[in-house]
Amino acid sequence: MTSYNAGELFAEIERVVKSELPVEEGLLRIIQYCATAHPHPNWAALRTLNAAGDLRQLQQWLETIMRTMPPPAPITGLWFGLFNPTMEDRVTADLHLIGAPYDAMDSQWLFRQRWGKGTPYASSTVLDSIYQVAYGNEDGLGNDAEYPLALAYAALAVRHLAQLIGPTILGDAAQRVLHVGFDSGDFLCIGAIRKNGLVFSRSSAVMA
């Protein structure tokens, strides 16, 4: 749970992700939204996050997966999952990638014919920084920072990669529908990569 109006916050994240704002500018918009609703000194540190290097790392991560263990053509849905692994005795936030044949009419599509076992974690420095600032001290922002910023940044980053290396992600599939979200919570359907590029979904939950 967070201190915000959950519906309004999610709608703002979706609006920013499905816009033309660059990743860093979009993330700053969400930080400003959150800071206005919940003033706290830690927002200052979060405003200094540098996404440029992390986006290059995420591009390399995704290109490596698509080159070394590409999903077969029937895998038309991709799930970029946010989770909290423990790395070297330290809890962090990161992304992993799995997929399955996409069916907008079946909410359980991801659990059928799943692809992606053994894909490496993204090792995102920005997601790690968000987590460490959020939980670095007892009176930190906690989930009031992790939830909106991890979701917004991950979705903005995936949108950026879809627009940058769309054909690599698409592979031999007719389309690949992109979802970003917490493995144990909220998610956003960004849209679908097709031969003509990224098409945003009109829905937050399914490709429509």
Side-chain angles (χ1 to χ4, degrees):
M1 299 296 291
T2 69
S3 301
Y4 315 107
N5 179 301
E8 291 180 1
L9 173 60
F10 187 88
E12 180 66 7
I13 292 171
E14 181 178 16
R15 186 190 69 78
V16 167
V17 170
K18 295 178 181 178
S19 74
E20 298 303 319
L21 289 173
V23 174
E24 288 187 341
E25 187 176 341
L27 184 60
L28 286 172
R29 290 281 183 95
I30 299 303
I31 290 173
Q32 184 57 45
Y33 178 96
C34 295
T36 299
H38 183 180
H40 192 283
N42 281 0
W43 294 118
L46 292 164
R47 285 190 176 95
T48 67
L49 293 171
N50 185 351
D54 193 50
L55 291 172
R56 288 191 293 271
Q57 151 63 23
L58 292 175
Q59 179 181 346
Q60 183 179 42
W61 164 71
L62 188 52
E63 286 177 330
T64 299
I65 290 175
M66 292 299 167
R67 183 180 68 252
T68 61
M69 46 194 313
I75 303 301
T76 51
L78 296 178
W79 173 269
F80 293 83
L82 286 159
F83 70 124
N84 297 117
T86 299
M87 308 295 289
E88 299 179 353
D89 299 321
R90 180 171 171 270
V91 181
T92 184
D94 207 356
L95 272 179
H96 70 100
L97 175 62
I98 54 177
Y102 182 68
D103 183 350
M105 303 302 293
D106 182 1
S107 63
Q108 300 299 305
W109 66 269
L110 187 57
F111 301 99
R112 311 188 195 288
Q113 303 178 51
R114 180 179 291 184
W115 162 88
K117 182 178 181 180
T119 54
Y121 302 160
S123 299
S124 168
T125 57
V126 169
L127 289 174
D128 177 63
S129 295
I130 290 169
Y131 188 90
Q132 303 312 324
V133 172
Y135 298 100
N137 51 66
E138 289 186 4
D139 59 349
L141 284 160
N143 200 43
D144 283 344
E146 185 191 12
Y147 170 84
L149 301 193
L151 181 59
Y153 175 72
L156 284 163
V158 170
R159 184 206 70 189
H160 167 79
L161 294 173
Q163 293 171 328
L164 186 66
I165 58 168
T168 299
I169 300 171
L170 180 62
D172 296 328
Q175 69 170 3
R176 288 217 156 110
V177 181
L178 308 177
H179 304 77
V180 180
F182 296 96
D183 284 348
S184 56
D186 292 344
F187 71 92
L188 176 63
C189 178
I190 297 175
I193 297 177
R194 295 171 179 160
K195 293 190 185 300
N196 60 339
L198 176 63
V199 179
F200 289 130
S201 173
R202 297 187 301 273
S203 164
S204 63
V206 298
M207 185 59 204

